[in-house]
Amino acid sequence: MTETTAHASAPPAPPTLAAVPPGKVASIVTFLEMHAQPAPLPAPDAPHLSLRHVAAPETGWYRDLFRRIGEDWLWFSRLQMSEAELAAIIGSPDVEVYALSRTQPDGTSIDIGLVDVDFRTEGEAELAFFGLVAGETGSGAGRLMMNLATARAFARPIRRFFVHTCTHDLPAAVGFYRKSGFVPYGRAVEIVDDPRLDGTLRRTAAPHVPIIE
């Protein structure tokens, strides 16, 4: 038996497991990017939906929409920021915030989606946050939002538009981003304090991610 054959027939190495300490949560983060604006994909004709640029977002409004969209996917980062820190980010001229609104039967409207595009790194645009409240995914609303996001990103002279998602997020997220023109280029493991244990998020949030104390 040759050395090459012996190596080829050797059993695979056992998987490596890293323990996650109690009180923390771990996820696999996937990084995706695009370098040119793709053609917009068909979006639904939805006169009851409208996108607006929120030129001067109030922190209370932003936190409320951020929480309504992301609590069950363990979005927490901007809920833990101070008022000054959050206001400086979302009020920056290099951060564009858009809201998707739904017109109700009584004529009132409610915000159901968030698009947050960050240009603070020269030559780059990050899709910092992108999402819909529960019950709105799969309706085509996300396509309206993504068509806007890519158009806004490439309205400036950038080299790349990038986003990341993780295994705490909606399972369809990676497929949606790839269909939209993003290409995966990296992966990492992230371990953070569980935001449900310090009151940042409600304890019952994200039931698909068990709490281990």
Side-chain angles (χ1 to χ4, degrees), residues 22-133:
K24 295 185 179 291
V25 288
S27 65
I28 298 174
V29 181
T30 299
F31 303 92
L32 306 99
E33 66 184 357
M34 63 173 73
H35 297 274
Q37 183 178 355
L41 294 175
D45 181 16
H48 59 291
L49 297 177
S50 60
L51 278 158
R52 75 180 189 282
H53 179 213
V54 185
E58 296 180 354
T59 56
W61 168 85
Y62 186 97
R63 288 183 200 274
D64 173 71
L65 184 56
F66 184 96
R67 182 184 296 276
R68 288 195 291 118
I69 291 169
E71 189 163 34
D72 273 334
W73 310 115
L74 293 188
W75 289 17
F76 67 90
S77 59
R78 292 196 169 171
L79 299 177
Q80 293 181 335
M81 291 179 177
S82 69
E83 287 294 299
E85 186 179 6
L86 179 59
I89 293 173
I90 63 178
S92 168
D94 289 321
V95 174
E96 296 186 8
V97 175
Y98 297 84
L100 179 73
S101 298
R102 173 184 288 281
T103 301
Q104 307 288 79
D106 63 0
T108 61
S109 64
I110 182 172
D111 293 330
I112 62 169
L114 175 67
V115 179
D116 184 329
V117 185
D118 190 332
F119 297 92
R120 288 178 298 161
T121 298
E122 184 178 358
E124 297 186 336
E126 178 184 7
L127 187 55
F129 293 98
F130 180 95
L132 288 158
V133 300

Side-chain angles (χ1 to χ4, degrees), residues 189-204:
V189 176
E190 181 180 45
I191 300 175
V192 298
D193 293 336
D194 192 327
R196 296 165 296 185
L197 295 178
D198 64 7
T200 300
L201 303 179
R202 56 182 165 80
R203 193 174 176 91
T204 56

